[in-house]
Each structure stands twice: as structure tokens, then as C-alpha cells.
Amino acid sequence: MFCVTCDASKELEDLVAKARPYSQHGKLASYIPALEKANKDDLSVAIYHLDDGTCTYAGDYQEKFTLQSISKVLSLAYVLAHIGEGKVFQKVGMEPTGDPFNSIAKLETSKPSKPLNPMINAGALVVTSLIPGQNTSDKWEKFLQFVQTLSGNTEIGYCKEVQESEFETSNLNRALCYFMRQHGVLEGDVESIMELYTKQCSIEMNCLDLARIGAVFSNNGRDPLSKKELIPEQIARICKTFMVTCGMYNASGEFAMKVGIPAKSGVSGGILGVIPNRCGIGVFSPALDEKGNSLAGWTLLELMNKKYDFSIF
Ligand code: GLN
């Protein structure tokens, strides 16, 4: 992680202490067996401030976690930048669903039968199938490089144990792929798409790295230090919009009401937060509520909003 200075924050530490007990009421994700090995008590947060390039953090900030659904924002940004909005939105819609992230229901009832948005599994699988490259490893290496660049950390890789655990058990995601292939929405070899998708979901980092990625989106796609464009501004805007409307699954409305910032969560318990033109936030706490959002992480963001007035609304 690359920033001017990283400092522990006493203020944030107090909020972490208030939010941490909530993790006891949540559950670790178990449908990806390796995720169940996480430590339920963990809670970490980092804020990457755009004004001076500094980072403040609290809690178990060195703890690494896998991105899971947070990676959907990054694959969307990557694919939009490489193949353009036209081709992507021909295959994936722009509407929230109100259904759980892995639901197949709307695929059957919407006409044409394309996923409603790129933040649910069906849509993200289509986006992954559109990652350009000569073969799966070429696609993977280039995408991973993109994520390393966004986080300013060339050491970022993926957790093989979590990737294999998901790859071996992903029957529902395979079903979504085959359903969409039948309807001509998804093309290509399903096993290769599953390999790439489970690898992107298993990309591993800590909250400091995630906050740095949030800072790029906050800074309209530009590297917060060098000011170099990493994501075109219009694409960063599309991603932030999806984060507001669909980023917290079928709790996105409630999150907009209570915290009010573009955010994306993953079943590992990570949350990426973006406060436009102000800062990027990385949060991690693995115990989830019934909709799959980090319970202590969400609580912490609510407390932070009350203290720092984050809401964009
Ligand atoms: N890898 C997970 C899956 O496809 C990601 C889901 C999530 O984080 N909500 O089921």
C-alpha cells in the first residue's frame, strides 16, 4: 500500500470498539466452505483521504480478506474500459433487483432474459465472460495487474484455498451460466469463466489496500497520488452509480438511507466505500447479516456517517 503516511486513529478505534460486538449476532458465510475459517471477531477499517494522501486506520487493519462480490465493481470497470458501454449493456441491465445476489428467478421472468445488473452474480458472471484476453491465464494476469494498479500494491494476489473451495462448490453459479448460455446472453466455456470468476472473487488484500481502491473511485478514476487516469471518469461514475443502487444487494435502499454512500460488499465481510471527492474506505468484518452484508462493518459505517457526515444525499 502506497500513501504518504498511514496512522492509527483513536477516534476510529472508539467507533470500532462500539461496532465490534455486533459481529456476534452475525454468521460467517458457509456456502464457500473456506470462508467459514475466518475469525468472527475481526473488524478493521481504513480511510484514504484525498486531500493529503494520508490513510487513517483502526482495528485489525492488517487482516487480509478476499474481495468476493467487491470484485464485481472492478471487473465491470475493466470490461467497460476495454470493450465499451454499448457491448456490456447489451448483455447486462442497469436495474436493481430486490432479490438475493445469487437468485436465478428474474432471469426466467425478465424479457429479454439478461441479468438485471452487474452487481448480482448472474450479471457479474456475464461481465467476467467479457474480460478480453487470449486465454484464461492471459485474462487473469491482466485483470490482476489492473487491481494491483488500483490498490497501489503489486504484491496483491489471490487466495488459492478460497478459490478452490468456491470452484469446487459453485453449482449455483454454474447453473446461472448454463441458463444464460442457453438464452444467448453468455458465451464461452463455462468452466473457464468459473475459473476466472472464482479467481477474481478470491483476490486478497487488507482494508488499507481496499481504501486505496476506493480513493481512485472517489478521485473520479485518477490515482490519488500521481493523478494519472486509471479508470476513465465516465466509467468510474457508472461504477459508483451501481454501488449506490445495487452495491449492498437487496439492502441497498436501506444502506442509502442510513449511510448514503456508494458502497459494495462481499460475502467475505469486506465493504468498499466511496465518498466522492473526499475519501475511499475499506472495511472488513466477516460475520454477516441475513442478506450477506457485514454486520459490524455496516454498523461501523453508520457510526462513521453520524460522526463525519458522509452521506452524499
Ligand atoms: N464469490 C461469491 C459468489 O459468487 C461472491 C458473492 C458475494 O460476495 N455476495 O457467490
Short mmCIF file of all heavy atoms in Angstrom, two decimals, residues 78 128-143 189 191-193 195-196 199:
data_model
loop_
_atom_site.label_atom_id
_atom_site.label_comp_id
_atom_site.label_asym_id
_atom_site.label_seq_id
_atom_site.Cartn_x
_atom_site.Cartn_y
_atom_site.Cartn_z
N TYR A 78 -13.14 -2.66 -15.55
CA TYR A 78 -12.14 -3.17 -16.50
C TYR A 78 -12.78 -3.48 -17.86
O TYR A 78 -12.26 -3.08 -18.91
CB TYR A 78 -11.52 -4.43 -15.89
CG TYR A 78 -10.37 -5.01 -16.67
CD1 TYR A 78 -9.11 -4.42 -16.62
CD2 TYR A 78 -10.54 -6.15 -17.44
CE1 TYR A 78 -8.05 -4.97 -17.32
CE2 TYR A 78 -9.48 -6.70 -18.15
CZ TYR A 78 -8.24 -6.11 -18.08
OH TYR A 78 -7.19 -6.65 -18.79
N THR A 128 -17.58 -11.07 -16.36
CA THR A 128 -16.33 -11.84 -16.36
C THR A 128 -16.13 -12.53 -17.71
O THR A 128 -15.01 -12.59 -18.23
CB THR A 128 -16.34 -12.89 -15.21
OG1 THR A 128 -16.42 -12.18 -13.98
CG2 THR A 128 -15.10 -13.75 -15.22
N SER A 129 -17.22 -13.03 -18.28
CA SER A 129 -17.10 -13.71 -19.59
C SER A 129 -16.65 -12.75 -20.68
O SER A 129 -16.19 -13.17 -21.73
CB SER A 129 -18.44 -14.36 -19.97
OG SER A 129 -19.34 -13.37 -20.47
N LEU A 130 -16.77 -11.44 -20.42
CA LEU A 130 -16.38 -10.43 -21.42
C LEU A 130 -14.96 -9.90 -21.22
O LEU A 130 -14.49 -9.06 -21.99
CB LEU A 130 -17.38 -9.26 -21.38
CG LEU A 130 -18.84 -9.58 -21.73
CD1 LEU A 130 -19.74 -8.37 -21.46
CD2 LEU A 130 -18.97 -10.02 -23.18
N ILE A 131 -14.27 -10.37 -20.17
CA ILE A 131 -12.89 -9.91 -19.95
C ILE A 131 -12.05 -10.32 -21.16
O ILE A 131 -12.03 -11.50 -21.52
CB ILE A 131 -12.30 -10.51 -18.64
CG1 ILE A 131 -13.00 -9.90 -17.41
CG2 ILE A 131 -10.79 -10.28 -18.56
CD1 ILE A 131 -12.54 -10.45 -16.06
N PRO A 132 -11.39 -9.36 -21.81
CA PRO A 132 -10.65 -9.71 -23.03
C PRO A 132 -9.31 -10.39 -22.73
O PRO A 132 -8.75 -10.19 -21.65
CB PRO A 132 -10.43 -8.35 -23.70
CG PRO A 132 -10.47 -7.35 -22.59
CD PRO A 132 -11.32 -7.92 -21.50
N GLY A 133 -8.82 -11.17 -23.68
CA GLY A 133 -7.53 -11.84 -23.49
C GLY A 133 -7.45 -13.08 -24.35
O GLY A 133 -8.47 -13.56 -24.86
N GLN A 134 -6.23 -13.60 -24.52
CA GLN A 134 -6.05 -14.74 -25.42
C GLN A 134 -6.54 -16.05 -24.81
O GLN A 134 -7.01 -16.93 -25.51
CB GLN A 134 -4.57 -14.87 -25.78
CG GLN A 134 -4.20 -13.85 -26.86
CD GLN A 134 -2.73 -13.60 -26.93
OE1 GLN A 134 -1.94 -14.27 -26.28
NE2 GLN A 134 -2.35 -12.63 -27.74
N ASN A 135 -6.36 -16.19 -23.53
CA ASN A 135 -6.83 -17.41 -22.84
C ASN A 135 -7.06 -17.03 -21.37
O ASN A 135 -6.81 -15.89 -20.97
CB ASN A 135 -5.80 -18.53 -22.97
CG ASN A 135 -4.41 -18.04 -22.60
OD1 ASN A 135 -4.25 -17.33 -21.60
ND2 ASN A 135 -3.42 -18.36 -23.40
N THR A 136 -7.49 -18.00 -20.58
CA THR A 136 -7.87 -17.68 -19.20
C THR A 136 -6.70 -17.08 -18.42
O THR A 136 -6.88 -16.09 -17.70
CB THR A 136 -8.41 -18.94 -18.47
OG1 THR A 136 -9.43 -19.49 -19.29
CG2 THR A 136 -8.98 -18.60 -17.11
N SER A 137 -5.49 -17.64 -18.59
CA SER A 137 -4.40 -17.09 -17.77
C SER A 137 -3.99 -15.70 -18.22
O SER A 137 -3.66 -14.84 -17.39
CB SER A 137 -3.21 -18.06 -17.68
OG SER A 137 -2.65 -18.22 -18.93
N ASP A 138 -4.06 -15.44 -19.52
CA ASP A 138 -3.76 -14.10 -20.02
C ASP A 138 -4.80 -13.09 -19.47
O ASP A 138 -4.45 -12.00 -18.98
CB ASP A 138 -3.80 -14.14 -21.56
CG ASP A 138 -3.51 -12.79 -22.18
OD1 ASP A 138 -2.49 -12.19 -21.81
OD2 ASP A 138 -4.31 -12.33 -23.04
N LYS A 139 -6.07 -13.49 -19.51
CA LYS A 139 -7.13 -12.61 -18.99
C LYS A 139 -6.91 -12.33 -17.51
O LYS A 139 -7.01 -11.21 -17.04
CB LYS A 139 -8.51 -13.29 -19.15
CG LYS A 139 -8.95 -13.47 -20.59
CD LYS A 139 -10.25 -14.24 -20.66
CE LYS A 139 -10.57 -14.56 -22.11
NZ LYS A 139 -11.84 -15.25 -22.30
N TRP A 140 -6.60 -13.41 -16.77
CA TRP A 140 -6.41 -13.29 -15.33
C TRP A 140 -5.24 -12.39 -14.99
O TRP A 140 -5.36 -11.48 -14.16
CB TRP A 140 -6.23 -14.69 -14.73
CG TRP A 140 -5.67 -14.66 -13.33
CD1 TRP A 140 -4.49 -15.17 -12.92
CD2 TRP A 140 -6.27 -14.07 -12.18
NE1 TRP A 140 -4.31 -14.93 -11.58
CE2 TRP A 140 -5.39 -14.26 -11.10
CE3 TRP A 140 -7.47 -13.38 -11.95
CZ2 TRP A 140 -5.67 -13.79 -9.82
CZ3 TRP A 140 -7.74 -12.92 -10.67
CH2 TRP A 140 -6.85 -13.13 -9.62
N GLU A 141 -4.10 -12.61 -15.67
CA GLU A 141 -2.90 -11.82 -15.33
C GLU A 141 -3.15 -10.33 -15.56
O GLU A 141 -2.77 -9.49 -14.74
CB GLU A 141 -1.71 -12.28 -16.16
CG GLU A 141 -1.02 -13.47 -15.53
CD GLU A 141 -0.19 -14.28 -16.50
OE1 GLU A 141 0.35 -13.68 -17.46
OE2 GLU A 141 -0.10 -15.50 -16.30
N LYS A 142 -3.81 -10.01 -16.68
CA LYS A 142 -4.03 -8.59 -16.99
C LYS A 142 -5.03 -7.97 -16.01
O LYS A 142 -4.87 -6.83 -15.58
CB LYS A 142 -4.48 -8.43 -18.43
CG LYS A 142 -3.33 -8.71 -19.39
CD LYS A 142 -3.72 -8.52 -20.82
CE LYS A 142 -2.54 -8.81 -21.72
NZ LYS A 142 -2.92 -9.54 -22.94
N PHE A 143 -6.05 -8.75 -15.66
CA PHE A 143 -7.04 -8.20 -14.72
C PHE A 143 -6.40 -8.00 -13.34
O PHE A 143 -6.60 -6.97 -12.70
CB PHE A 143 -8.27 -9.11 -14.62
CG PHE A 143 -9.26 -8.63 -13.61
CD1 PHE A 143 -9.96 -7.44 -13.81
CD2 PHE A 143 -9.48 -9.34 -12.43
CE1 PHE A 143 -10.85 -6.96 -12.85
CE2 PHE A 143 -10.37 -8.86 -11.47
CZ PHE A 143 -11.06 -7.67 -11.69
N ASP A 189 -16.76 -21.02 -22.69
CA ASP A 189 -16.69 -22.24 -21.90
C ASP A 189 -16.97 -21.93 -20.41
O ASP A 189 -16.27 -21.11 -19.80
CB ASP A 189 -15.29 -22.83 -22.08
CG ASP A 189 -15.06 -24.00 -21.16
OD1 ASP A 189 -15.90 -24.92 -21.17
OD2 ASP A 189 -14.06 -23.99 -20.40
N GLU A 191 -16.60 -23.61 -17.64
CA GLU A 191 -15.56 -23.92 -16.64
C GLU A 191 -14.46 -22.84 -16.65
O GLU A 191 -13.94 -22.46 -15.61
CB GLU A 191 -14.95 -25.30 -16.89
CG GLU A 191 -15.90 -26.44 -16.52
CD GLU A 191 -16.46 -26.32 -15.10
OE1 GLU A 191 -15.69 -26.37 -14.13
OE2 GLU A 191 -17.70 -26.15 -14.97
N SER A 192 -14.11 -22.34 -17.83
CA SER A 192 -13.08 -21.29 -17.89
C SER A 192 -13.60 -20.00 -17.26
O SER A 192 -12.87 -19.29 -16.55
CB SER A 192 -12.68 -20.98 -19.33
OG SER A 192 -12.34 -22.16 -19.99
N ILE A 193 -14.88 -19.70 -17.51
CA ILE A 193 -15.47 -18.50 -16.90
C ILE A 193 -15.49 -18.66 -15.38
O ILE A 193 -15.15 -17.73 -14.63
CB ILE A 193 -16.90 -18.25 -17.45
CG1 ILE A 193 -16.81 -17.93 -18.95
CG2 ILE A 193 -17.60 -17.12 -16.70
CD1 ILE A 193 -18.14 -17.96 -19.68
N GLU A 195 -13.47 -20.43 -13.59
CA GLU A 195 -12.10 -20.32 -13.06
C GLU A 195 -11.74 -18.84 -12.86
O GLU A 195 -11.26 -18.43 -11.80
CB GLU A 195 -11.11 -21.00 -14.01
CG GLU A 195 -9.69 -20.96 -13.46
CD GLU A 195 -8.64 -21.44 -14.43
OE1 GLU A 195 -8.95 -22.25 -15.34
OE2 GLU A 195 -7.48 -20.96 -14.30
N LEU A 196 -12.01 -18.06 -13.91
CA LEU A 196 -11.68 -16.64 -13.85
C LEU A 196 -12.51 -15.93 -12.77
O LEU A 196 -11.98 -15.11 -11.99
CB LEU A 196 -11.96 -16.04 -15.24
CG LEU A 196 -11.36 -14.70 -15.58
CD1 LEU A 196 -9.87 -14.66 -15.32
CD2 LEU A 196 -11.65 -14.37 -17.06
N LYS A 199 -11.36 -16.81 -9.30
CA LYS A 199 -10.07 -16.16 -9.01
C LYS A 199 -10.30 -14.69 -8.67
O LYS A 199 -9.72 -14.17 -7.72
CB LYS A 199 -9.12 -16.29 -10.20
CG LYS A 199 -8.40 -17.63 -10.22
CD LYS A 199 -7.34 -17.65 -11.29
CE LYS A 199 -6.49 -18.88 -11.14
NZ LYS A 199 -5.79 -19.24 -12.37
#
